[in-house]
PDB file of all heavy atoms in Angstrom:
ATOM      1  N   ALA A   1      -2.528 -14.950  -3.435  1.00 67.00           N
ATOM      2  CA  ALA A   1      -1.364 -15.715  -2.979  1.00 67.00           C
ATOM      3  C   ALA A   1      -1.783 -17.090  -2.474  1.00 67.00           C
ATOM      4  O   ALA A   1      -1.103 -18.097  -2.714  1.00 67.00           O
ATOM      5  CB  ALA A   1      -0.635 -14.929  -1.884  1.00 67.00           C
ATOM      6  N   ALA A   2      -2.925 -17.125  -1.743  1.00 66.00           N
ATOM      7  CA  ALA A   2      -3.415 -18.406  -1.213  1.00 66.00           C
ATOM      8  C   ALA A   2      -3.828 -19.347  -2.342  1.00 66.00           C
ATOM      9  O   ALA A   2      -3.667 -20.569  -2.243  1.00 66.00           O
ATOM     10  CB  ALA A   2      -4.592 -18.158  -0.271  1.00 66.00           C
ATOM     11  N   ALA A   3      -4.350 -18.751  -3.431  1.00 65.00           N
ATOM     12  CA  ALA A   3      -4.779 -19.574  -4.561  1.00 65.00           C
ATOM     13  C   ALA A   3      -3.633 -19.862  -5.527  1.00 65.00           C
ATOM     14  O   ALA A   3      -3.803 -20.597  -6.510  1.00 65.00           O
ATOM     15  CB  ALA A   3      -5.912 -18.873  -5.308  1.00 65.00           C
ATOM     16  N   GLY A   4      -2.472 -19.263  -5.274  1.00 62.00           N
ATOM     17  CA  GLY A   4      -1.308 -19.482  -6.127  1.00 62.00           C
ATOM     18  C   GLY A   4      -1.242 -18.587  -7.337  1.00 62.00           C
ATOM     19  O   GLY A   4      -0.382 -18.768  -8.201  1.00 62.00           O
ATOM     20  N   THR A   5      -2.122 -17.597  -7.450  1.00 61.00           N
ATOM     21  CA  THR A   5      -2.123 -16.696  -8.612  1.00 61.00           C
ATOM     22  C   THR A   5      -1.263 -15.464  -8.383  1.00 61.00           C
ATOM     23  O   THR A   5      -0.957 -14.738  -9.328  1.00 61.00           O
ATOM     24  CB  THR A   5      -3.559 -16.245  -8.932  1.00 61.00           C
ATOM     25  OG1 THR A   5      -4.115 -15.583  -7.784  1.00 61.00           O
ATOM     26  CG2 THR A   5      -4.425 -17.428  -9.296  1.00 61.00           C
ATOM     27  N   GLN A   6      -0.876 -15.157  -7.117  1.00 60.00           N
ATOM     28  CA  GLN A   6      -0.007 -14.018  -6.806  1.00 60.00           C
ATOM     29  C   GLN A   6       1.062 -14.462  -5.822  1.00 60.00           C
ATOM     30  O   GLN A   6       0.840 -15.337  -4.991  1.00 60.00           O
ATOM     31  CB  GLN A   6      -0.809 -12.854  -6.212  1.00 60.00           C
ATOM     32  CG  GLN A   6      -1.680 -12.123  -7.218  1.00 60.00           C
ATOM     33  CD  GLN A   6      -2.228 -10.813  -6.651  1.00 60.00           C
ATOM     34  OE1 GLN A   6      -1.576 -10.163  -5.844  1.00 60.00           O
ATOM     35  NE2 GLN A   6      -3.424 -10.449  -7.086  1.00 60.00           N
ATOM     36  N   SER A   7       2.219 -13.807  -5.910  1.00 64.00           N
ATOM     37  CA  SER A   7       3.321 -14.142  -5.014  1.00 64.00           C
ATOM     38  C   SER A   7       3.197 -13.375  -3.710  1.00 64.00           C
ATOM     39  O   SER A   7       2.451 -12.390  -3.613  1.00 64.00           O
ATOM     40  CB  SER A   7       4.652 -13.790  -5.687  1.00 64.00           C
ATOM     41  OG  SER A   7       4.748 -12.381  -5.879  1.00 64.00           O
ATOM     42  N   SER A   8       3.942 -13.829  -2.710  1.00 65.00           N
ATOM     43  CA  SER A   8       3.942 -13.126  -1.420  1.00 65.00           C
ATOM     44  C   SER A   8       4.543 -11.731  -1.559  1.00 65.00           C
ATOM     45  O   SER A   8       4.216 -10.816  -0.808  1.00 65.00           O
ATOM     46  CB  SER A   8       4.738 -13.932  -0.385  1.00 65.00           C
ATOM     47  OG  SER A   8       6.069 -14.152  -0.847  1.00 65.00           O
ATOM     48  N   GLY A   9       5.413 -11.561  -2.562  1.00 70.00           N
ATOM     49  CA  GLY A   9       5.990 -10.239  -2.805  1.00 70.00           C
ATOM     50  C   GLY A   9       4.931  -9.227  -3.202  1.00 70.00           C
ATOM     51  O   GLY A   9       5.024  -8.045  -2.849  1.00 70.00           O
ATOM     52  N   ALA A  10       3.929  -9.689  -3.938  1.00 67.00           N
ATOM     53  CA  ALA A  10       2.840  -8.792  -4.348  1.00 67.00           C
ATOM     54  C   ALA A  10       2.052  -8.304  -3.139  1.00 67.00           C
ATOM     55  O   ALA A  10       1.584  -7.161  -3.107  1.00 67.00           O
ATOM     56  CB  ALA A  10       1.903  -9.514  -5.317  1.00 67.00           C
ATOM     57  N   VAL A  11       1.926  -9.159  -2.139  1.00 64.00           N
ATOM     58  CA  VAL A  11       1.229  -8.763  -0.918  1.00 64.00           C
ATOM     59  C   VAL A  11       2.001  -7.650  -0.202  1.00 64.00           C
ATOM     60  O   VAL A  11       1.432  -6.647   0.237  1.00 64.00           O
ATOM     61  CB  VAL A  11       1.044  -9.976   0.020  1.00 64.00           C
ATOM     62  CG1 VAL A  11       0.369  -9.541   1.319  1.00 64.00           C
ATOM     63  CG2 VAL A  11       0.220 -11.054  -0.667  1.00 64.00           C
ATOM     64  N   VAL A  12       3.315  -7.820  -0.105  1.00 74.00           N
ATOM     65  CA  VAL A  12       4.160  -6.818   0.556  1.00 74.00           C
ATOM     66  C   VAL A  12       4.106  -5.493  -0.195  1.00 74.00           C
ATOM     67  O   VAL A  12       4.004  -4.415   0.392  1.00 74.00           O
ATOM     68  CB  VAL A  12       5.615  -7.323   0.676  1.00 74.00           C
ATOM     69  CG1 VAL A  12       6.511  -6.232   1.253  1.00 74.00           C
ATOM     70  CG2 VAL A  12       5.666  -8.574   1.527  1.00 74.00           C
ATOM     71  N   LEU A  13       4.161  -5.577  -1.534  1.00 77.00           N
ATOM     72  CA  LEU A  13       4.099  -4.360  -2.345  1.00 77.00           C
ATOM     73  C   LEU A  13       2.766  -3.639  -2.168  1.00 77.00           C
ATOM     74  O   LEU A  13       2.721  -2.402  -2.098  1.00 77.00           O
ATOM     75  CB  LEU A  13       4.319  -4.701  -3.821  1.00 77.00           C
ATOM     76  CG  LEU A  13       5.761  -5.030  -4.244  1.00 77.00           C
ATOM     77  CD1 LEU A  13       5.811  -5.458  -5.705  1.00 77.00           C
ATOM     78  CD2 LEU A  13       6.658  -3.804  -4.023  1.00 77.00           C
ATOM     79  N   SER A  14       1.674  -4.396  -2.101  1.00 71.00           N
ATOM     80  CA  SER A  14       0.353  -3.789  -1.887  1.00 71.00           C
ATOM     81  C   SER A  14       0.283  -3.069  -0.547  1.00 71.00           C
ATOM     82  O   SER A  14      -0.283  -1.969  -0.434  1.00 71.00           O
ATOM     83  CB  SER A  14      -0.745  -4.860  -1.951  1.00 71.00           C
ATOM     84  OG  SER A  14      -0.825  -5.421  -3.227  1.00 71.00           O
ATOM     85  N   MET A  15       0.874  -3.677   0.484  1.00 70.00           N
ATOM     86  CA  MET A  15       0.876  -3.059   1.803  1.00 70.00           C
ATOM     87  C   MET A  15       1.673  -1.752   1.793  1.00 70.00           C
ATOM     88  O   MET A  15       1.225  -0.728   2.311  1.00 70.00           O
ATOM     89  CB  MET A  15       1.464  -4.028   2.836  1.00 70.00           C
ATOM     90  CG  MET A  15       1.459  -3.480   4.258  1.00 70.00           C
ATOM     91  SD  MET A  15       2.205  -4.625   5.444  1.00 70.00           S
ATOM     92  CE  MET A  15       1.074  -6.006   5.355  1.00 70.00           C
ATOM     93  N   LEU A  16       2.869  -1.791   1.175  1.00 80.00           N
ATOM     94  CA  LEU A  16       3.690  -0.585   1.111  1.00 80.00           C
ATOM     95  C   LEU A  16       3.009   0.514   0.306  1.00 80.00           C
ATOM     96  O   LEU A  16       3.055   1.695   0.679  1.00 80.00           O
ATOM     97  CB  LEU A  16       5.046  -0.920   0.477  1.00 80.00           C
ATOM     98  CG  LEU A  16       5.998  -1.787   1.314  1.00 80.00           C
ATOM     99  CD1 LEU A  16       7.236  -2.153   0.510  1.00 80.00           C
ATOM    100  CD2 LEU A  16       6.391  -1.057   2.601  1.00 80.00           C
ATOM    101  N   GLU A  17       2.343   0.128  -0.777  1.00 78.00           N
ATOM    102  CA  GLU A  17       1.633   1.107  -1.597  1.00 78.00           C
ATOM    103  C   GLU A  17       0.513   1.780  -0.815  1.00 78.00           C
ATOM    104  O   GLU A  17       0.333   2.998  -0.879  1.00 78.00           O
ATOM    105  CB  GLU A  17       1.060   0.418  -2.846  1.00 78.00           C
ATOM    106  CG  GLU A  17       0.362   1.382  -3.796  1.00 78.00           C
ATOM    107  CD  GLU A  17      -0.270   0.659  -4.972  1.00 78.00           C
ATOM    108  OE1 GLU A  17      -0.187  -0.589  -5.036  1.00 78.00           O
ATOM    109  OE2 GLU A  17      -0.858   1.344  -5.815  1.00 78.00           O
ATOM    110  N   THR A  18      -0.225   0.993  -0.031  1.00 73.00           N
ATOM    111  CA  THR A  18      -1.318   1.554   0.770  1.00 73.00           C
ATOM    112  C   THR A  18      -0.788   2.507   1.828  1.00 73.00           C
ATOM    113  O   THR A  18      -1.334   3.604   2.032  1.00 73.00           O
ATOM    114  CB  THR A  18      -2.103   0.415   1.449  1.00 73.00           C
ATOM    115  OG1 THR A  18      -2.611  -0.460   0.441  1.00 73.00           O
ATOM    116  CG2 THR A  18      -3.266   0.968   2.255  1.00 73.00           C
ATOM    117  N   LEU A  19       0.271   2.108   2.517  1.00 77.00           N
ATOM    118  CA  LEU A  19       0.855   2.968   3.546  1.00 77.00           C
ATOM    119  C   LEU A  19       1.355   4.279   2.949  1.00 77.00           C
ATOM    120  O   LEU A  19       1.176   5.353   3.536  1.00 77.00           O
ATOM    121  CB  LEU A  19       1.995   2.236   4.249  1.00 77.00           C
ATOM    122  CG  LEU A  19       1.590   1.070   5.158  1.00 77.00           C
ATOM    123  CD1 LEU A  19       2.830   0.340   5.666  1.00 77.00           C
ATOM    124  CD2 LEU A  19       0.746   1.562   6.334  1.00 77.00           C
ATOM    125  N   LEU A  20       1.971   4.205   1.761  1.00 85.00           N
ATOM    126  CA  LEU A  20       2.458   5.416   1.100  1.00 85.00           C
ATOM    127  C   LEU A  20       1.303   6.330   0.714  1.00 85.00           C
ATOM    128  O   LEU A  20       1.386   7.559   0.845  1.00 85.00           O
ATOM    129  CB  LEU A  20       3.270   5.045  -0.145  1.00 85.00           C
ATOM    130  CG  LEU A  20       4.692   4.518   0.106  1.00 85.00           C
ATOM    131  CD1 LEU A  20       5.323   4.032  -1.196  1.00 85.00           C
ATOM    132  CD2 LEU A  20       5.555   5.609   0.743  1.00 85.00           C
ATOM    133  N   LYS A  21       0.194   5.740   0.241  1.00 82.00           N
ATOM    134  CA  LYS A  21      -0.962   6.545  -0.152  1.00 82.00           C
ATOM    135  C   LYS A  21      -1.589   7.250   1.050  1.00 82.00           C
ATOM    136  O   LYS A  21      -1.924   8.436   0.985  1.00 82.00           O
ATOM    137  CB  LYS A  21      -2.017   5.656  -0.834  1.00 82.00           C
ATOM    138  CG  LYS A  21      -1.668   5.281  -2.265  1.00 82.00           C
ATOM    139  CD  LYS A  21      -2.787   4.481  -2.895  1.00 82.00           C
ATOM    140  CE  LYS A  21      -2.509   4.176  -4.362  1.00 82.00           C
ATOM    141  NZ  LYS A  21      -3.623   3.408  -4.983  1.00 82.00           N
ATOM    142  N   VAL A  22      -1.757   6.523   2.151  1.00 79.00           N
ATOM    143  CA  VAL A  22      -2.348   7.134   3.351  1.00 79.00           C
ATOM    144  C   VAL A  22      -1.436   8.242   3.877  1.00 79.00           C
ATOM    145  O   VAL A  22      -1.903   9.333   4.226  1.00 79.00           O
ATOM    146  CB  VAL A  22      -2.579   6.059   4.440  1.00 79.00           C
ATOM    147  CG1 VAL A  22      -2.996   6.719   5.754  1.00 79.00           C
ATOM    148  CG2 VAL A  22      -3.658   5.082   3.991  1.00 79.00           C
ATOM    149  N   THR A  23      -0.133   7.967   3.914  1.00 84.00           N
ATOM    150  CA  THR A  23       0.818   8.985   4.370  1.00 84.00           C
ATOM    151  C   THR A  23       0.791  10.211   3.461  1.00 84.00           C
ATOM    152  O   THR A  23       0.822  11.355   3.922  1.00 84.00           O
ATOM    153  CB  THR A  23       2.247   8.398   4.401  1.00 84.00           C
ATOM    154  OG1 THR A  23       2.265   7.239   5.231  1.00 84.00           O
ATOM    155  CG2 THR A  23       3.230   9.421   4.939  1.00 84.00           C
ATOM    156  N   GLY A  24       0.694   9.966   2.153  1.00 88.00           N
ATOM    157  CA  GLY A  24       0.625  11.067   1.203  1.00 88.00           C
ATOM    158  C   GLY A  24      -0.619  11.908   1.387  1.00 88.00           C
ATOM    159  O   GLY A  24      -0.566  13.151   1.328  1.00 88.00           O
ATOM    160  N   PHE A  25      -1.754  11.259   1.641  1.00 86.00           N
ATOM    161  CA  PHE A  25      -3.002  12.002   1.860  1.00 86.00           C
ATOM    162  C   PHE A  25      -2.927  12.862   3.117  1.00 86.00           C
ATOM    163  O   PHE A  25      -3.281  14.047   3.090  1.00 86.00           O
ATOM    164  CB  PHE A  25      -4.184  11.024   1.960  1.00 86.00           C
ATOM    165  CG  PHE A  25      -5.442  11.675   2.457  1.00 86.00           C
ATOM    166  CD1 PHE A  25      -6.140  12.569   1.670  1.00 86.00           C
ATOM    167  CD2 PHE A  25      -5.929  11.408   3.736  1.00 86.00           C
ATOM    168  CE1 PHE A  25      -7.285  13.186   2.126  1.00 86.00           C
ATOM    169  CE2 PHE A  25      -7.068  12.019   4.205  1.00 86.00           C
ATOM    170  CZ  PHE A  25      -7.755  12.907   3.401  1.00 86.00           C
ATOM    171  N   VAL A  26      -2.447  12.264   4.214  1.00 82.00           N
ATOM    172  CA  VAL A  26      -2.343  13.016   5.472  1.00 82.00           C
ATOM    173  C   VAL A  26      -1.388  14.199   5.309  1.00 82.00           C
ATOM    174  O   VAL A  26      -1.687  15.324   5.746  1.00 82.00           O
ATOM    175  CB  VAL A  26      -1.868  12.083   6.616  1.00 82.00           C
ATOM    176  CG1 VAL A  26      -1.599  12.896   7.877  1.00 82.00           C
ATOM    177  CG2 VAL A  26      -2.919  11.011   6.894  1.00 82.00           C
ATOM    178  N   ALA A  27      -0.265  13.977   4.642  1.00 88.00           N
ATOM    179  CA  ALA A  27       0.700  15.056   4.429  1.00 88.00           C
ATOM    180  C   ALA A  27       0.103  16.158   3.566  1.00 88.00           C
ATOM    181  O   ALA A  27       0.278  17.361   3.842  1.00 88.00           O
ATOM    182  CB  ALA A  27       1.970  14.503   3.777  1.00 88.00           C
ATOM    183  N   LEU A  28      -0.624  15.775   2.526  1.00 88.00           N
ATOM    184  CA  LEU A  28      -1.253  16.763   1.648  1.00 88.00           C
ATOM    185  C   LEU A  28      -2.255  17.621   2.408  1.00 88.00           C
ATOM    186  O   LEU A  28      -2.295  18.854   2.247  1.00 88.00           O
ATOM    187  CB  LEU A  28      -1.955  16.053   0.485  1.00 88.00           C
ATOM    188  CG  LEU A  28      -2.633  16.968  -0.547  1.00 88.00           C
ATOM    189  CD1 LEU A  28      -1.599  17.759  -1.324  1.00 88.00           C
ATOM    190  CD2 LEU A  28      -3.504  16.142  -1.497  1.00 88.00           C
ATOM    191  N   MET A  29      -3.062  16.988   3.271  1.00 85.00           N
ATOM    192  CA  MET A  29      -4.063  17.732   4.037  1.00 85.00           C
ATOM    193  C   MET A  29      -3.406  18.670   5.039  1.00 85.00           C
ATOM    194  O   MET A  29      -3.863  19.806   5.238  1.00 85.00           O
ATOM    195  CB  MET A  29      -4.998  16.765   4.757  1.00 85.00           C
ATOM    196  CG  MET A  29      -5.920  15.993   3.831  1.00 85.00           C
ATOM    197  SD  MET A  29      -6.985  17.052   2.825  1.00 85.00           S
ATOM    198  CE  MET A  29      -7.972  17.838   4.088  1.00 85.00           C
ATOM    199  N   LEU A  30      -2.347  18.214   5.694  1.00 82.00           N
ATOM    200  CA  LEU A  30      -1.706  19.027   6.729  1.00 82.00           C
ATOM    201  C   LEU A  30      -0.856  20.151   6.148  1.00 82.00           C
ATOM    202  O   LEU A  30      -0.721  21.216   6.771  1.00 82.00           O
ATOM    203  CB  LEU A  30      -0.835  18.136   7.631  1.00 82.00           C
ATOM    204  CG  LEU A  30      -1.583  17.097   8.474  1.00 82.00           C
ATOM    205  CD1 LEU A  30      -0.602  16.295   9.314  1.00 82.00           C
ATOM    206  CD2 LEU A  30      -2.625  17.761   9.368  1.00 82.00           C
TER     207      LEU A  30
END
């Protein structure tokens, strides 16, 4: 995003994807 090759929306999507993955892992283990 800083270099202009990705939009700020891509950053938000990456964050949401990571949070979903961590939540999914914790839920799977429990």
Side-chain angles (χ1 to χ4, degrees):
T5 59
Q6 287 192 32
S7 65
S8 57
V11 178
V12 175
L13 285 175
S14 295
M15 182 182 296
L16 290 174
E17 183 184 1
T18 301
L19 290 174
L20 284 173
K21 284 183 176 181
V22 172
T23 303
F25 168 71
V26 173
L28 182 68
M29 291 301 296
L30 295 180

